[in-house]
Amino acid sequence: MIKVNAGGCSSFVKDAEYKEYVEKALSAFDVLESETGAGNDFLGWKHLPTQTPDSLISECEAIKDLWASKGVDLVVVIGIGGSYLGAKCAIEALSHSFAKQLASKNGPEIVFAGHNLSEEYICELMDLMKERNVAAVVISKSGTTTEPAVAFRLIKQYIETVYGAKEAAERIVAVTDAHKGALKSLSTQEGYKTFVIEDNVGGRFSVLTPVGILPIVLAGFDMRAMLKGAAEMEKCCGERSEENPAIAYAAIRNLLYSKGKKVEILVSYNPKLQYLGEWWKQLYGESEGKDGKGIFPASVSFTTDLHSMGQYIQDGERMLMETVVTVEKSNRDMTIANDPQNLDGLNFLTGKHVEECNAMAELGTKLAHIDGGVPQISVSIEKIDEFNLGGLFYFFEKACGISGYILGVNPFNQPGVEAYKKNMFALLGKPGYEEQAKALRDRLK
Ligand code: PA5
């Protein structure tokens, strides 16, 4: 279903070098499969597609039905990082581009909060909430992350004020740790329905847990199809073979990195996949960027960004590689009409699908960028739907684990994320951080 093609790298690497990196990828695969590598207590994501019980989806559907019976038309999903990006990516990819503006609505609108600390953003969200019938999902594995905790405090107070504490308990659902963390204690005290994020699944690998499943179901998408697509890739990416797309992708990107291609740009030609880039950047950036190593993940949306980033990619510093997510089939049809006057000179396109222009832009850009010194990896899916997206999530996760082990890092921790948090707590006056606060303020003078 997911195909990886490294043909666009052939002028940059020799066959023998690729073989060497496939061997490294196979060894890394063995470490991941035998669960003997660094971070091996965070491998719960590996079998989620085949081991997630259908009852979990039914539980999410029950919440959807309950909220529909109350007339809820706005669900605020609160979370950050791995507790935000997977659901955001799936909902953006699967939704009509103009869902908000269309008159006919299919279920509640999903909006996100807790992924920033902007006062303006939360005030404007409240403006929207005042016009709508609201419920909220708060997602935090640790239950202690500042951004979602601040947003949740405000949104909880709003919901309690408008609907009363008893009704609020039916309009708030939490996704968090089974036992620990402030969100777990609060949920128990307030009587919220809760879903569990297992200890052995890290945030950025959690899209196929309730972290992603609940918002995706609430948005009206087919989670069973998504898990089916992911299960197909669980099988295919479990094969110890050069044909395994996760092994092929991990091998080629590490080989290119060894040749100075330090930045990998994830490219898509459908704006619905913009957040796939955001999700992928977190997955690879947080998994690999450590110990002074790692490919820097970036993303662009073409053809839009060919008119902004195209110049640099074609002609700037040559440390780039591209991974293009190719979508083979458009979900919609539109052909270009003949214009008898032909003042724009475009009649040569008459009868062609718009997507054919997109496909030719993709091929033309591929060749131009290769000529400009940017190797291209292609990852293709048949179309944008739940099944293929599920497959893509699993494929990138599996390849990430293999890739991190080739690089020689622990792909499943994120020690670097703590540094800013400590400084922020100190500067905000959190008890216990007094000395650090003084030292930081001296440095900021
Ligand atoms: O991947 C990760 O571990 C992080 O991005 C977390 O998902 C993010 O920091 C949010 O953490 P939490 O879910 O504990 O609030």
Side-chain angles (χ1 to χ4, degrees):
M1 176 181 79
I2 310 267
K3 286 172 263 167
V4 171
N5 185 335
C9 305
S10 56
S11 51
F12 300 85
V13 300
K14 298 190 181 77
D15 280 356
E17 293 171 329
Y18 181 62
K19 282 201 166 51
E20 185 197 326
Y21 269 81
V22 166
E23 285 310 313
K24 286 181 196 254
L26 287 167
S27 304
F29 172 86
D30 291 340
V31 174
L32 191 58
E33 290 308 88
S34 59
E35 309 200 349
T36 50
N40 64 17
D41 40 354
F42 285 97
L43 299 180
W45 54 271
K46 276 192 347 186
H47 301 297
L48 286 172
T50 47
Q51 289 178 2
T52 297
D54 194 70
S55 57
L56 174 60
I57 300 174
S58 305
E59 275 186 76
C60 297
E61 287 168 339
I63 292 164
K64 186 173 193 287
D65 293 345
L66 173 71
W67 287 353
S69 74
K70 293 177 188 291
V72 168
D73 60 6
L74 184 77
V75 176
V76 185
V77 176
I78 304 161
I80 195 167
S83 292
Y84 154 66
L85 284 164
K88 174 77 177 169
C89 162
I91 292 169
E92 287 282 314
L94 299 170
S95 295
H96 190 291
S97 301
F98 300 98
K100 288 189 196 87
Q101 291 87 0
L102 280 174
S104 62
K105 301 277 178 228
N106 256 338
E109 187 179 339
I110 310 290
V111 292
F112 292 86
H115 56 298
N116 61 60
L117 282 169
S118 160
E119 188 160 338
E120 205 165 323
Y121 185 92
I122 195 83
C123 288
E124 290 180 359
L125 174 61
M126 293 282 180
D127 293 341
L128 175 66
M129 287 164 60
K130 280 177 198 147
E131 292 184 357
R132 307 288 282 274
N133 188 333
V134 181
V137 177
V138 53
I139 307 174
S140 178
K141 185 180 177 196
S142 62
T144 56
T145 306
T146 311
E147 291 90 336
V150 167
F152 181 55
R153 178 183 277 221
L154 295 165
I155 290 163
K156 173 180 184 287
Q157 280 169 0
Y158 172 87
I159 293 178
E160 285 173 350
T161 306
V162 173
Y163 304 98
K166 190 163 172 284
E167 176 66 9
E170 293 205 358
R171 285 173 178 255
I172 295 173
V173 172
V175 183
T176 191
D177 188 90
H179 309 289
K180 53 185 191 300
L183 181 57
K184 175 64 192 168
S185 322
L186 186 74
S187 302
T188 308
Q189 184 192 297
E190 302 286 357
Y192 300 153
K193 163 93 182 149
T194 55
F195 289 88
V196 171
I197 314 171
E198 298 296 343
D199 280 346
N200 61 0
V201 183
R204 59 191 172 276
F205 288 83
S206 69
V207 58
L208 300 175
T209 72
V211 170
I213 293 177
L214 179 57
I216 292 167
V217 168
L218 292 173
F221 298 113
D222 184 351
M223 198 60 224
R224 290 184 178 88
M226 193 175 285
L227 284 170
K228 213 167 158 208
E232 192 165 292
M233 286 316 284
E234 181 183 326
K235 186 163 182 286
C236 162
C237 294
E239 306 281 334
R240 193 187 190 284
S241 147
E242 192 176 335
E243 309 307 318
N244 175 335
I247 290 180
Y249 176 56
I252 189 67
R253 66 193 294 279
N254 277 282
L255 169 54
L256 292 168
Y257 178 59
S258 75
K259 289 178 164 289
K261 303 300 184 189
K262 306 277 187 201
V263 177
E264 179 179 4
I265 308 174
L266 194 83
V267 181
S268 63
Y269 282 79
N270 186 321
K272 289 184 168 189
L273 295 182
Q274 190 194 332
Y275 270 86
L276 177 70
E278 300 304 319
W279 172 82
W280 172 88
K281 283 191 287 194
Q282 189 209 0
L283 180 64
Y284 280 79
E286 234 174 59
S287 299
E288 296 193 317
K290 49 196 74 155
D291 308 336
K293 296 192 264 195
I295 298 169
F296 183 85
S299 65
V300 290
S301 184
F302 286 169
T303 61
T304 312
D305 293 335
L306 283 171
H307 299 262
S308 57
M309 297 301 289
Q311 171 62 38
Y312 191 103
I313 297 171
Q314 186 69 44
D315 220 11
E317 194 172 341
R318 302 298 69 193
M319 77 303 198
L320 306 175
M321 63 175 112
E322 284 180 324
T323 293
V324 181
V325 178
T326 299
V327 181
E328 287 162 3
K329 232 171 68 196
S330 170
N331 285 320
R332 301 289 295 268
D333 274 327
M334 176 76 70
T335 50
I336 297 169
N338 186 60
D339 178 350
Q341 289 204 63
N342 196 28
L343 291 178
D344 54 13
L346 290 182
N347 269 354
F348 72 99
L349 295 177
T350 301
K352 287 193 195 301
H353 282 269
V354 176
E355 203 54 37
E356 191 179 338
C357 302
N358 206 18
M360 292 311 116
E362 184 175 330
L363 289 179
T365 305
K366 173 178 177 168
L367 297 174
H369 287 183
I370 290 171
D371 289 346
V374 181
Q376 289 245 336
I377 306 166
S378 159
V379 172
S380 55
I381 57 170
E382 191 201 344
K383 57 181 178 169
I384 301 178
D385 63 4
E386 288 91 336
F387 182 83
N388 280 277
L389 208 53
L392 211 47
F393 282 141
Y394 190 86
F395 156 75
F396 275 129
E397 288 176 359
K398 190 71 184 269
C400 184
I402 298 170
S403 188
Y405 284 151
I406 298 178
L407 190 65
V409 298
N410 175 354
F412 305 110
N413 66 2
Q414 55 285 327
V417 182
E418 294 309 309
Y420 98 91
K421 289 187 192 167
K422 286 185 193 135
N423 289 351
M424 177 177 72
F425 289 148
L427 292 169
L428 283 169
K430 187 169 180 174
Y433 286 77
E434 293 76 6
E435 264 181 42
Q436 194 174 336
K438 191 181 169 311
L440 290 174
R441 286 190 205 292
D442 287 345
R443 281 175 59 196
L444 289 170
K445 274 180 192 156

